[in-house]
């Protein structure tokens, strides 16, 4: 009955809180490792959670090694299960040393009042680690597409320096609204624009890889965004060797799962 269901939900919440409290996690800026020259990939919490889904595909397909769980005071605590047994948290670090990719999977939202501080801390940390570049994955609201964006490929890239890899993606069109900083318009794109503007100010190499989408069944967009991130991080030729993408077990009950 409803009372029993509520009881078990309460027990589960208490257990999750206990796991979060007892886990030994470093603060984001305290983690150090040998990742000089690596590409740091970070997903925004944005439309349809497409960046998180694309990161799931990258982590599984590239068999990335989990390094650590980390925390930031403005990232909402989260705890869950992956593959029915291992615990996952709101911020986790993964690495593929052969591909020189460091991935920070973000599974929870950032408090609005702390978005700028989170971005500042993240870029300062990337600089401290001597990362070669940061790749921010985001999804933006397709309802705001202009006439030229309505048809064709929905993927775009925005770079702080022209020597960064484009992965064959089209550059993001600048807005005609002169009131926007740098005329960058990423509606519902999370902290992507904030991070781009800060990196641009600091002359730090950063690329924003985005896809126009809407809330709903976004499996295909996740595959497209994952492939685009791979091309930006690894180059088109090396990324083309990925012939199939492997979803994690946690995708089993998602809408319209493609057959593999």
């Amino acid at each position: 009955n409803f009372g029993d269901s509520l009881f078990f939900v309460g027990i589960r919440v208490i257990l999750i809180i206990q796991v979060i409290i007892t886990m030994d996690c470093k603060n984001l800026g305290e983690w150090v490792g040998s990742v000089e020259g690596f590409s740091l990939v970070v997903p925004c919490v944005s439309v349809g959670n497409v960046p998180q889904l694309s990161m799931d595909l990258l982590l599984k397909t590239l068999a990335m090694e989990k390094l650590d769980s980390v925390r930031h005071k403005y990232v909402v605590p989260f705890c869950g299960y992956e593959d029915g047994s291992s615990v996952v948290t709101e911020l986790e670090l993964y690495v593929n040393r052969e591909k020189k990719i460091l991935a920070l999977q973000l599974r929870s939202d950032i408090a609005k009042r702390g978005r700028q501080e989170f971005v500042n801390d993240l870029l300062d940390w990337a600089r401290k680690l001597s990362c070669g570049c940061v790749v921010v994955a985001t999804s933006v609201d397709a309802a705001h597409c202009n006439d030229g964006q309505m048809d064709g490929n929905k993927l775009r890239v925005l770079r702080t320096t022209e020597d960064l890899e484009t992965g064959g993606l089209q550059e993001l069109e600048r807005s005609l609204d002169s009131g926007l900083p740098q005329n960058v318009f990423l509606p519902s794109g999370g902290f992507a624009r904030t991070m781009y503007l800060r990196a641009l100010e600091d002359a730090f190499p950063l690329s924003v890889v985005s896809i126009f989408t809407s809330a709903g069944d976004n499996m295909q967009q996740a595959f497209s965004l994952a492939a685009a991130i791979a091309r930006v991080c690894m180059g088109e030729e090396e990324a083309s060797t990925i012939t199939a993408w492997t979803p994690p077990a946690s995708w089993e009950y998602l809408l319209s799962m493609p057959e593999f």
Side-chain angles (χ1 to χ4, degrees):
N1 59 37
F2 178 75
D4 290 340
S5 298
L6 194 61
F7 171 77
F8 285 112
V9 168
I11 292 296
R12 188 174 182 182
V13 169
I14 291 171
L15 290 173
I16 288 174
I17 292 173
Q18 185 177 16
V19 170
I20 292 172
I21 292 173
T22 56
M23 284 189 72
D24 183 21
C25 296
K26 298 181 177 69
N27 287 323
L28 178 65
E30 295 175 353
W31 189 91
V32 293
S34 179
V35 291
E36 183 177 352
F38 282 36
S39 298
L40 170 62
V41 185
V42 185
C44 293
V45 177
S46 50
V47 183
N49 291 322
V50 176
Q52 278 69 38
L53 297 173
S54 66
M55 286 289 285
D56 281 348
L57 290 168
L58 284 165
L59 299 179
K60 191 72 174 178
T61 303
L62 298 182
M64 297 186 74
E65 172 195 355
K66 181 178 176 180
L67 295 175
D68 219 337
S69 293
V70 292
R71 293 252 162 85
H72 189 277
K73 64 181 180 180
Y74 285 122
V75 177
V76 179
F78 165 83
C79 181
Y81 289 98
E82 176 68 70
D83 298 331
S85 57
S86 57
V87 175
V88 295
T89 60
E90 68 273 18
L91 278 172
E92 292 189 323
L93 277 168
Y94 297 81
V95 70
N96 183 310
R97 297 194 179 278
E98 180 187 353
K99 309 294 186 187
K100 300 190 74 173
I101 298 175
L102 178 68
L104 178 65
Q105 175 63 303
L106 171 63
R107 296 189 175 94
S108 188
D109 208 354
I110 300 164
K112 189 174 181 180
R113 70 181 185 280
R115 179 177 292 182
Q116 185 66 61
E117 185 170 341
F118 173 77
V119 163
N120 292 343
D121 290 346
L122 186 55
L123 282 174
D124 289 344
W125 176 64
R127 185 180 291 105
K128 175 182 172 182
L129 294 176
S130 299
C131 290
C133 69
V134 173
V135 177
V136 180
T138 191
S139 48
V140 295
D141 191 349
H144 292 275
C145 285
N146 60 36
D147 290 346
Q149 297 166 336
M150 293 293 290
D151 297 321
N153 199 316
K154 302 301 181 185
L155 292 159
R156 296 291 188 274
V157 67
L158 178 66
R159 303 170 295 162
T160 56
T161 61
E162 292 188 358
D163 59 335
L164 289 171
E165 176 66 60
T166 66
L169 303 178
Q170 183 176 335
E171 294 278 357
L172 179 69
E173 300 87 346
R174 300 299 175 119
S175 170
L176 298 177
D177 184 353
S178 59
L180 291 171
Q182 296 293 322
N183 296 89
V184 173
F185 188 46
L186 293 167
S188 304
F191 57 82
R193 188 177 71 169
T194 303
M195 199 155 176
Y196 169 79
L197 293 173
R198 167 66 199 275
L200 190 66
E201 180 183 332
D202 292 354
F204 190 87
L206 178 143
S207 296
V208 176
V209 181
S210 65
I211 187 168
F212 291 107
T213 189
S214 303
D217 181 359
N218 293 300
M219 294 299 97
Q220 294 301 331
Q221 287 87 350
F223 283 90
S224 296
L225 186 59
I229 295 167
R231 295 200 301 272
V232 169
C233 290
M234 300 159 52
E236 292 183 75
E237 183 176 349
E238 187 174 0
S240 68
T241 62
I242 302 174
T243 56
W245 292 92
T246 307
S250 58
W251 279 37
E252 183 177 354
Y253 300 107
L254 291 180
L255 295 170
S256 301
M257 255 297 292
E259 296 292 333
F260 295 92

